């Protein structure tokens, strides 16, 4: 069991729940875990699931004094929160922002030049330790501190170190990416059951098919057309261009909305 130092979460929403579950799965424990949120009901629900955490609706200062501070808030409230913790945060602490849109430079300025800032864009599958969790660091952040954070995140899934300019691209492709497939896979499962498979069999078959799909497309050393030609019957061929049009429209739209202006 890994024993890390203290960690504080500002914001007790879904991303904090995902992290807490992933750390629990991987048996990563801390000397103390504190979660701050203005909504007490959210905190109580979280503590019911993770009884060892400390919760608070008013002690933002206490949370700001942790060794690692994770900010799980929507971009509009992040800057206000940083202004509140500016004089409370310890010089040697590490601050991790989980929000798109706000650059390290912008946050560092708000914090009066604080150097140990990382940005991360975690994904929902982190909850089963299969996340895609890209991370980038402030240029001033010491290598040792970067290493501490990377080691902490390793059991949560795939944690590539990326350029900051790519964080929003990852947000649209990997963090939101699950939603492009959840409903389709659920529908495939329902149809598989209608066609005579049982639930477990259907889930296993679809999961294995998906692994094989990405493996074939990305690693078979074939062109896209050669891959497409491996399957003679394409039931959705007529609507493929329409679906691709939706990807262009909606994904480009959301990317433009969340990228730093």
């Amino acid at each position: 069991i890994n024993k890390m130092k203290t960690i504080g979460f500002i914001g007790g929403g879904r991303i904090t729940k995902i992290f807490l579950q992933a750390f629990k799965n991987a048996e990563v424990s801390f000397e103390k875990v504190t979660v701050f949120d203005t909504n007490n009901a959210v905190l109580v629900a979280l503590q019911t699931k993770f009884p060892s955490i400390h919760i608070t609706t008013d002690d933002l200062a206490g949370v700001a004094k942790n060794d690692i501070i994770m900010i799980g808030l929507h971009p509009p409230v992040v800057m206000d929160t940083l202004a509140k913790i500016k004089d409370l945060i310890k010089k040697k602490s590490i601050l991790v922002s989980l929000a798109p849109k706000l650059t390290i430079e912008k946050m560092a300025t708000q914090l009066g030049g604080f150097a140990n800032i990382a940005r991360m864009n975690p994904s929902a599958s982190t909850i089963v330790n299969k996340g895609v969790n890209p991370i980038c660091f402030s240029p001033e952040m010491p290598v040792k501190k970067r290493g501490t954070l990377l080691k902490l995140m390793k059991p949560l899934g795939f944690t590539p170190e990326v350029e900051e300019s790519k964080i929003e691209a990852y947000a649209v492709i990997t963090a939101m990416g699950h939603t492009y497939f959840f409903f389709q896979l659920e529908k495939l499962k329902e149809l598989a059951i209608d066609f005579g498979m049982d639930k477990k069999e259907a889930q296993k078959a679809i999961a294995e098919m998906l692994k094989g799909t990405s493996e074939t497309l990305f690693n078979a050393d074939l062109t896209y057309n050669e891959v497409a030609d491996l399957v003679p019957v394409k039931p959705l061929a007529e609507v493929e261009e329409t679906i691709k049009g939706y990807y262009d429209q909606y994904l480009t739209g959301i990317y433009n909305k969340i990228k730093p202006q």
Side-chain angles (χ1 to χ4, degrees):
I1 295 176
N2 304 306
K3 192 83 173 166
M4 298 295 291
K5 295 178 180 178
T6 61
I7 189 166
F9 291 87
I10 298 177
R14 57 171 70 87
I15 201 63
T16 296
K17 182 171 80 175
I18 287 169
F19 271 111
L20 293 175
Q21 186 62 55
F23 287 138
K24 186 180 173 182
N25 297 344
E27 298 186 328
V28 174
S29 60
F30 299 87
E31 283 170 27
K32 190 178 181 185
V33 178
T34 314
V35 183
F36 169 91
D37 199 287
T38 50
N39 185 331
N40 193 52
V42 164
L43 291 174
V44 171
L46 211 52
Q47 197 176 45
T48 305
K49 200 163 172 49
F50 307 102
S52 64
I53 67 169
H54 299 261
I55 57 175
T56 177
T57 54
D58 51 17
D59 189 17
L60 185 59
V63 181
K65 289 182 177 132
N66 280 284
D67 299 320
I68 297 169
I69 304 144
M70 309 282 282
I71 303 209
L73 300 169
H74 294 299
V77 280
V78 171
M79 296 300 273
D80 289 347
T81 306
L82 294 181
K84 287 175 189 164
I85 65 171
K86 177 182 170 183
D87 300 322
L88 307 167
I89 196 165
K90 295 185 295 190
K91 240 189 166 62
K92 65 180 194 327
S93 291
I94 297 172
L95 183 110
V96 184
S97 168
L98 307 172
K101 209 165 188 169
L102 300 173
T103 62
I104 287 171
E105 192 184 354
K106 202 168 183 179
M107 290 185 284
T109 303
Q110 185 78 324
L111 287 167
F114 179 77
N116 300 326
I117 301 176
R119 288 183 63 199
M120 193 171 175
N121 199 270
S123 66
S125 49
T126 300
I127 203 163
V128 289
N129 302 73
K130 299 275 187 191
V132 178
N133 305 314
I135 192 166
C136 63
F137 301 102
S138 157
E140 293 80 33
M141 190 163 167
V143 171
K144 198 175 174 189
K145 288 202 182 293
R146 297 180 188 208
T148 299
L149 209 50
L150 287 169
K151 188 180 171 192
L152 176 64
M153 297 305 168
K154 198 174 194 293
L156 275 52
F158 173 50
T159 309
E161 191 178 335
V162 304
E163 293 163 41
E164 185 176 15
S165 60
K166 294 179 183 173
I167 284 284
E168 284 74 23
Y170 272 93
V172 176
I173 302 302
T174 58
M176 299 173 200
H178 298 308
T179 68
Y180 315 146
F181 301 103
F182 278 156
F183 69 96
Q184 297 188 65
L185 301 179
E186 186 65 14
K187 186 65 192 170
L188 276 184
K189 185 184 85 177
E190 289 167 9
L191 288 170
I193 293 166
D194 284 349
F195 301 158
M197 291 189 199
D198 64 46
K199 183 182 165 185
K200 266 204 160 128
E201 184 184 16
Q203 289 177 173
K204 177 73 175 162
I206 293 164
E208 292 299 327
M209 177 272 292
L210 272 176
K211 282 184 209 164
T213 301
S214 54
E215 205 56 38
T216 308
L217 183 59
F218 298 142
N219 298 327
D221 208 17
L222 299 170
T223 65
Y224 176 79
N225 286 335
E226 286 170 332
V227 171
D229 193 48
L230 295 172
V231 188
V233 180
K234 300 177 180 61
L236 295 181
E238 279 183 28
V239 292
E240 273 185 22
E241 289 307 314
T242 307
I243 294 168
K244 286 197 283 188
Y246 289 144
Y247 273 72
D248 284 334
Q249 180 186 347
Y250 292 106
L251 273 54
T252 306
I254 191 81
Y255 176 72
N256 290 331
K257 201 172 164 184
I258 67 168
K259 70 178 182 181
Q261 303 305 321

